[in-house]
Structures are given as structure tokens and as C-alpha cells.
Amino acid sequence: MIATQIKAITVDENDEHRLAIRTVDLVPALQAEVTIRITAISLNRGEVRRALTTSLTGTRPGWDFAGIIEDTNGVTDAPPAGSRVAGLLAVGSWCELVHVPLGSIAMIPDGVSDAEAACIPLAGLTALHAIRKGGFLLGKKVLINGASGGVGQMAIQLAALAGAVVYSHIRQEHHRILVEEASTGAVITGATLDEAKSHGPFDFILDSLGGASLSAAMGMLKKNGTCITIGASDSATVTFDSNLLFFGSSGAALKSMNIFHEIAAAGSLADDLEMLLGLVAKGKLKIKIGTEKEWTEISAVATALMERRFSGKAVLHLPGALL
Ligand SMILES: NC(=O)c1ccc[n+]([C@@H]2O[C@H](COP(=O)([O-])OP(=O)(O)OC[C@H]3O[C@@H](n4cnc5c(N)ncnc54)[C@H](OP(=O)(O)O)[C@@H]3O)[C@@H](O)[C@H]2O)c1
């Protein structure tokens, strides 16, 4: 018998911390949805920022989750009840139970913990789709900024696995340890991306900062190179000298990527997530977890994440799961 009410992390504008665990209704599963008991979630800065600032009371945040299939609800081809899975929702994964279609989950391989698996979906799939926009990267010079961030750390490892010569840009030298292994070209430290110029030009640049960083990136592309913009961690307003493209990097392109649009277009994330989790199981994709707490600590962890008090992913465990 599936519960009709569950506990969920919910935005409450009247709560001093803005995020609180509340009892909410669980809408019945749709046809072709399995029911998953969530054991671990990971936090991404984008969703946490929104939850702590603009989201209205009653909003249920949450993208990444890991858990156990509690009920297959008779869905054909579903993994059996008790299977460990990870997945991604557009909203509402920070709770005890979710109903999801098979296209939103993948099985967690042996040797991969629920905490590690919960770190993969949003950051890993974003990095994967962004890297794919670069085409065949064997031997290509790739520059990734924000390399110490959640997406950045996945992107440098996936680009290195694809055979690229990877240049990682970080702004704090003490983050070198997070990116050094995958940075097959160089680790570039500096306040702005301009420090990377002497290592260029590049075939492919992944920018998640916008602003001055994206502006600098547009001047470092090879002819027919590609820059992909996925975020505006610094600023969404950008100016750049288009002459640098006409005359210096003729044929170069600026593309954008939104992971939820990509997943909607593909109709499923299951195969890509299975592949990424398989890389984790083989030790080829490493997850750096910066903090692991019980989900009752959501407010403290959300604040610490936004204040950048730790490096690496934030994982929260739900009751019943071992720390
Ligand atoms: N398009 C999509 O589908 C998609 C999906 C997911 C995320 N995103 C976007 O991608 C970006 C990265 O996401 P994430 O979860 O990896 O975030 P994150 O963990 O906060 O990583 C941000 C990275 O940017 C660096 N950074 C440099 N200058 C910064 C500045 N002025 N402000 C903030 N960070 C700065 C950070 O350096 P430090 O380590 O030194 O702090 C860190 O390496 C975000 O903008 C996010 O909104 C886009």
C-alpha cells in the first residue's frame, strides 16, 4: 500500500531558514511510473539559490536522487522492487517517495554508493551533453572554466575520457587538487579566464560563468572552434569583440545547452545515466563529496553550500539509509 502523504523538503517563506521538512500529499502514480523510496539526494547550487531566494511557499525543490524501487506498479520492464536506482526530476526529489517513469532513472551498479550515485544525474548529464556539443574530441584542445564546480569536475573528466587535451580554469589555487588528475593539458589559476589565453587557441570551450569569462572565451577559439555556454555563475550580460571571430577564428560558433531541454528532446535519460554510473563503478569518473549529512540538516547544508564553505558535492541522507 503506497502512502498518500510523505515528508518533503519544502520552501516556507515564513520559516527563518526558508527550507523545512513538511508533510505533503503524494499524488498517485501515473501509468508507467514506478515508486521509489529515496535514500540520498545531492544539492546543486542553482536549485538551492532559487529555493533560498525566489521560490514561493509550497515549492518542492529537488533534482537529483538515489533510492530503492519500492513498487514497480506493474510497469513492464521495470527493475524488480528492491533495486537501487538513481535519477533526475525537474522538481520535487527532496522527499521520501517519488513516482517516476523508467526514462528518468538508471540502476546503480554494485560498488557505487547511493551518495555517489545521487551526485551524478544533474551535474553528470549536463557535463555529458555539453561535451557532446564539441563533437569528436580526440586530441582536441578543450578549455573548461568553473572546473572546480559540480558540472566542471564532471566535464573535465568526461573530456579527458573522450581523449581531449583538457585545460581546467579555476579561481582558487587550493582547488587544484580537485582538477589536477583530469587536466591533461594544464590547470590554469586566475581571477579571470584571460590567464588561459597563452595556452590557446582552443577547439572547444565550455563556459558556465558568462560575463567577462564568456567574453574572453570568444577570443580564444581556433578557426571553426566551438564555445558552449551553459550558465551565468558570474553574469548573464556579455559583450565581446566580434572582429576576433571574423578575422581570428573564422567559422567559430557559440552554442548553448539546457539539460532539461536535451532530456525532453531525447525522451529519456536512462541510457546516458547508466553509462555515467558505469564509469563511476569502473573508477573512471570520480565523485568528490564535500559534505554528507542527514536531510534534517537541509538548512545548514544549503547555507554552507551557498557560502562555499566546502568543496565538492553536498549529499543528504534520508532516514533508513546508512551514513
Ligand atoms: N545549462 C544547463 O543545463 C545547466 C545545468 C546545470 C548547471 N548549469 C549552470 O552551470 C553552472 C555551474 O553549475 P554548478 O552546479 O557546477 O555550480 P557550482 O558548483 O557553483 O560551480 C561554479 C563554478 O564556477 C566557479 N566560479 C568562478 N567565478 C565564479 C563566480 N563569479 N560566481 C560563482 N562561481 C564562480 C566556481 O569556482 P569556486 O569553486 O572557486 O567557487 C565553481 O568552479 C551554473 O551557472 C549553473 O546554473 C547549467
Side-chain angles (χ1 to χ4, degrees):
M1 178 81 169
I2 297 292
T4 55
Q5 290 203 308
I6 54 167
K7 290 202 165 61
I9 295 172
T10 306
V11 174
D12 182 346
E13 295 165 271
N14 296 318
D15 186 285
E16 61 172 319
H17 303 297
R18 248 183 163 264
L19 284 171
I21 296 176
R22 300 276 189 253
T23 299
V24 299
D25 290 335
L26 177 67
V27 291
L30 298 173
Q31 206 180 6
E33 284 185 336
V34 297
T35 302
I36 294 165
R37 181 160 295 275
I38 294 185
T39 55
I41 55 176
S42 83
L43 310 185
N44 297 277
R45 276 200 185 82
E47 59 187 343
V48 174
R49 187 185 316 110
R50 268 196 287 281
L52 293 181
T53 55
T54 55
S55 297
L56 303 178
T57 296
T59 301
R60 296 256 321 269
W63 290 333
D64 294 326
F65 66 88
I68 294 166
I69 296 192
E70 176 138 316
D71 196 328
T72 64
N73 303 324
V75 174
T76 313
D77 296 333
S83 301
R84 292 193 311 133
V85 294
L88 177 67
L89 292 180
V91 285
S93 74
W94 297 351
C95 65
E96 293 175 313
L97 280 178
V98 289
H99 304 306
V100 294
L102 297 183
S104 299
I105 56 172
M107 297 263 283
I108 303 174
D110 290 346
V112 178
S113 69
D114 289 11
E116 289 173 313
C119 294
I120 290 289
L122 193 275
L125 291 168
T126 299
L128 177 66
H129 280 268
I131 291 296
R132 278 193 184 138
K133 300 269 181 209
F136 187 63
L137 290 180
L138 183 64
K140 299 283 171 120
K141 284 180 77 168
V142 168
L143 172 63
I144 291 166
N145 71 10
S148 55
V151 175
Q153 285 188 47
M154 301 278 174
I156 57 174
Q157 295 182 74
L158 294 176
L161 285 169
V165 184
V166 179
Y167 294 78
S168 298
H169 182 265
I170 54 173
R171 59 176 173 170
Q172 305 182 68
E173 181 57 26
H174 71 266
H175 282 157
R176 176 177 290 270
I177 192 164
L178 296 174
V179 302
E180 201 151 37
E181 192 178 338
S183 303
T184 48
V187 177
I188 303 156
T189 311
T192 72
L193 197 64
D194 294 316
E195 282 82 354
K197 190 149 193 156
S198 60
H199 297 272
F202 299 96
D203 296 286
F204 180 72
I205 302 176
L206 171 54
D207 177 76
S208 59
L209 297 181
S213 174
L214 178 52
S215 174
M218 294 308 290
M220 293 184 210
L221 288 168
K222 282 189 187 176
K223 287 188 172 55
N224 299 311
T226 302
C227 177
I228 176 154
T229 168
I230 62 158
S233 292
D234 180 27
S235 170
T237 304
V238 185
T239 57
F240 62 89
D241 181 355
S242 55
N243 278 321
L244 292 174
L245 291 184
F246 301 139
F247 298 119
S249 327
S250 175
L254 173 61
K255 294 184 183 173
S256 61
M257 196 284 301
N258 177 302
I259 189 56
F260 290 108
H261 293 178
E262 299 286 330
I263 292 167
S268 168
L269 55 75
D271 290 349
D272 285 336
L273 184 54
E274 182 184 353
M275 186 272 287
L276 292 170
L277 290 167
L279 291 175
V280 179
K282 288 181 195 130
K284 293 183 173 178
L285 184 60
K286 294 184 180 131
I287 315 297
K288 309 237 168 48
I289 296 177
T291 191
E292 255 182 287
K293 303 277 186 202
E294 292 180 20
W295 80 320
T296 47
E297 302 285 311
I298 176 63
S299 296
V301 174
T303 303
L305 181 77
M306 295 318 293
E307 293 177 355
R308 298 181 182 271
R309 278 193 242 137
F310 58 87
S311 304
K313 294 290 290 182
V315 173
L316 298 180
H317 291 267
L318 275 74
L322 295 175
L323 273 183

